[in-house]
Amino acid sequence: MLDANLALLLSFAVLLLIGTPIAVALGIGAVVGILIGLDLLALGMIGTNAYAAVAKYPLIAIPLFILTGMIFERSGVAARLVTFAQACIGPRKGGLALVAVLVCMIMGGMSGSGVADAAAVATVMLPSMLKAGYPKPFTASIIAASASTAILIPPSIALIVYSVIVPGLDLRALFAAGLIPGVLMGLAIAVPVVWLSRRHGFGAGEGTERPPFWPALRAALPGLLAPVIILGGLRSGLFTPTETAVVAVAYGLLVGVVIYRTMGPREIYAVLADSAKISAVLMLIISLAGLFAWAGATMGAFRATADLVLSISDNEWVILALVMLVMLLAGMVLDGVSIFLIALPLLIPIVQAFGWSYVWFGVVISINIAIGQVTPPVAVNLMVTAKIARIPLETTFRWVGWLLVAMIAVLVLIIAFPEIALWLPRVLGYRIT
């Protein structure tokens, strides 16, 4: 059985390393493990378990929130949020950089995806920041880092997946737990952003005119209300997370079609088609990850791996540091959803062994993954912004290091003081496990 467990994990790892799509690597790894560790009759369970992995009501929220994010991205919300943020912050050195951080955080409360957030904000902010005297590498770095807060600020798609995999976890508690750390991370990123801007004289060409506040607020208000509707609906109990996603889509269409009038039949069709493609890929990964998890759990591969990790030390801080290192490396090459699907079956026994809170642990590893998404040499978010800016990825390394220090400081803070994450769900009366 040990050989089968090794075959399961090694075949997946090797396929991933040679560039095989993650869904294919998960599926083939599961089949290899089943063939070696079980028997041919077990192959008959492949279809059942692959279907069971996606036949879960909470997962309906994922394609709906993907659609919500794309609707708000293409309806002109981001551009209006930029104008409103400029009206709040005003013209000053580092002002546009702060605007980028703030808009990324707000857009993260609509899209739930760091990559989508980075792409939307970079497209809108890059021309104006370049005109104001910000270098492309610096601009790409701060947008990539700020967009990573989307994995924490509700409605995070990665946290939805986390809540489905961990049994008995209240998604509302997880969303509430991610809110304060997400805001803290945005504020932490803003500190070196302002310091670097002023030290190097960036933003000297921002001008002296501040956009009128009230017209900017009126124009941005429909977009600003989106996170309020999402979080308010969850908190009031009026909607379940899945129903909230449906309401968010309907509200996004209302904003784009009726209020802003930037979306017609052609734009709606394009949004539906593009979000369907992204959702299909994501659900395929979830389906085959479910098959991989079933094969690993049936053969005891995940428990054996967890026992191996726990045998390294009986000190929970040593084990947590090891887990954080692995999550950081994974975050450099994979998105948060894929990491949760692959790693959680291995990590759940470790969390149980030390009695850690699943809610707190979900926030901690989400921050770690967010750091990985802007950590060279791969850095998923950074690759997106660098591509939009048309610059080599290595030109951003000089700037992104300062932002990583700020993000790591928040991670250490949440690990040292778990109540920063757990206080809000506790006050709201959610069950913390």
Side-chain angles (χ1 to χ4, degrees):
M1 189 60 71
L2 180 61
D3 292 339
N5 291 336
L6 285 175
L8 174 84
L9 298 174
L10 286 178
S11 59
F12 167 71
V14 170
L15 288 168
L16 206 58
L17 288 173
I18 64 175
T20 307
I22 186 170
V24 177
L26 286 165
I28 294 177
V31 171
V32 169
I34 291 170
L35 286 173
I36 296 176
L38 299 176
D39 51 49
L40 290 176
L41 291 177
L43 291 176
M45 298 298 294
I46 288 178
T48 302
N49 284 282
Y51 171 75
V54 292
K56 297 173 182 176
Y57 178 70
L59 289 179
I60 299 174
I62 292 178
L64 290 171
F65 276 126
I66 290 173
L67 178 57
T68 300
M70 296 194 73
I71 290 172
F72 279 110
E73 173 194 342
R74 300 187 186 184
S75 62
V77 168
R80 289 166 174 82
L81 288 176
V82 168
T83 303
F84 172 66
Q86 287 176 305
C88 293
I89 295 172
R92 64 189 69 196
K93 284 186 179 180
L96 269 181
L98 276 179
V99 168
V101 175
L102 181 59
V103 173
C104 280
M105 293 171 64
I106 298 174
M107 287 296 293
M110 302 176 196
S111 68
S113 167
V115 174
D117 193 2
V121 178
T123 302
V124 174
M125 289 295 304
L126 194 64
S128 57
M129 292 188 71
L130 293 180
K131 185 178 179 182
Y134 291 90
K136 285 185 177 181
F138 180 72
T139 302
S141 298
I142 61 176
I143 294 175
S146 303
S148 66
T149 60
I151 199 173
L152 291 165
I153 297 175
S156 165
I157 293 173
L159 290 182
I160 294 173
V161 173
Y162 181 89
S163 71
V164 172
I165 297 174
V166 177
L169 188 60
D170 188 345
L171 178 58
R172 296 175 302 169
L174 200 57
F175 275 177
L179 185 58
I180 293 177
V183 172
L184 279 177
M185 194 155 72
L187 294 175
I189 291 169
V191 173
V193 162
V194 173
W195 177 70
L196 289 169
S197 297
R198 293 183 176 179
R199 181 183 179 185
H200 296 278
F202 299 153
E206 291 191 29
T208 57
E209 292 187 6
R210 181 196 296 258
F213 178 80
W214 292 112
L217 175 60
R218 283 194 296 271
L221 192 59
L224 293 172
L225 285 176
V228 175
I229 291 171
I230 292 170
L231 297 178
L234 287 172
R235 174 65 191 104
S236 65
L238 189 61
F239 312 122
T240 66
T242 305
E243 291 166 349
T244 301
V246 177
V247 172
V249 169
Y251 178 71
L253 288 172
L254 175 67
V255 170
V257 176
V258 179
I259 299 178
Y260 289 161
R261 298 182 181 179
T262 52
M263 298 182 71
R266 182 177 299 176
E267 289 77 17
I268 293 174
Y269 174 80
V271 165
L272 290 172
D274 291 344
S275 62
K277 293 175 185 176
I278 296 173
S279 299
V281 172
L282 190 54
M283 298 308 282
L284 179 62
I285 294 173
I286 293 174
S287 175
L288 294 176
L291 176 63
F292 184 82
W294 172 79
T298 302
M299 296 185 300
F302 301 143
R303 170 53 69 178
T305 305
D307 290 342
L308 178 63
V309 173
L310 291 171
S311 68
I312 296 173
S313 173
D314 58 359
N315 187 310
E316 65 176 312
W317 299 110
V318 173
I319 299 300
L320 183 60
L322 180 61
V323 170
M324 292 296 101
L325 177 61
V326 173
M327 291 296 99
L328 175 62
L329 295 174
M332 291 166 61
V333 296
L334 296 172
D335 62 281
V337 171
S338 299
I339 293 170
F340 281 147
L341 290 168
I342 297 166
L344 278 179
L346 298 168
L347 296 177
I348 286 175
I350 297 175
V351 176
Q352 292 172 339
F354 290 109
W356 294 332
S357 163
Y358 282 115
V359 173
W360 167 80
F361 186 72
V363 171
V364 167
I365 61 174
S366 294
I367 297 174
N368 204 282
I369 293 169
I371 293 171
Q373 289 177 341
V374 288
T375 302
V378 182
V380 180
N381 282 11
L382 205 55
M383 285 181 65
V384 170
T385 56
K387 184 177 180 180
I388 292 173
R390 298 180 181 178
I391 55 173
L393 188 66
E394 57 270 18
T395 61
T396 64
F397 294 175
R398 174 187 177 188
W399 307 109
V400 78
W402 295 100
L403 309 179
L404 288 173
V405 170
M407 297 169 75
I408 291 170
V410 175
L411 174 63
V412 172
L413 196 64
I414 303 302
I415 291 174
F417 303 99
E419 278 300 308
I420 296 175
L422 299 179
W423 174 79
L424 184 58
R426 204 186 303 278
V427 167
L428 294 176
Y430 298 139
R431 180 168 51 86
I432 300 174
T433 55

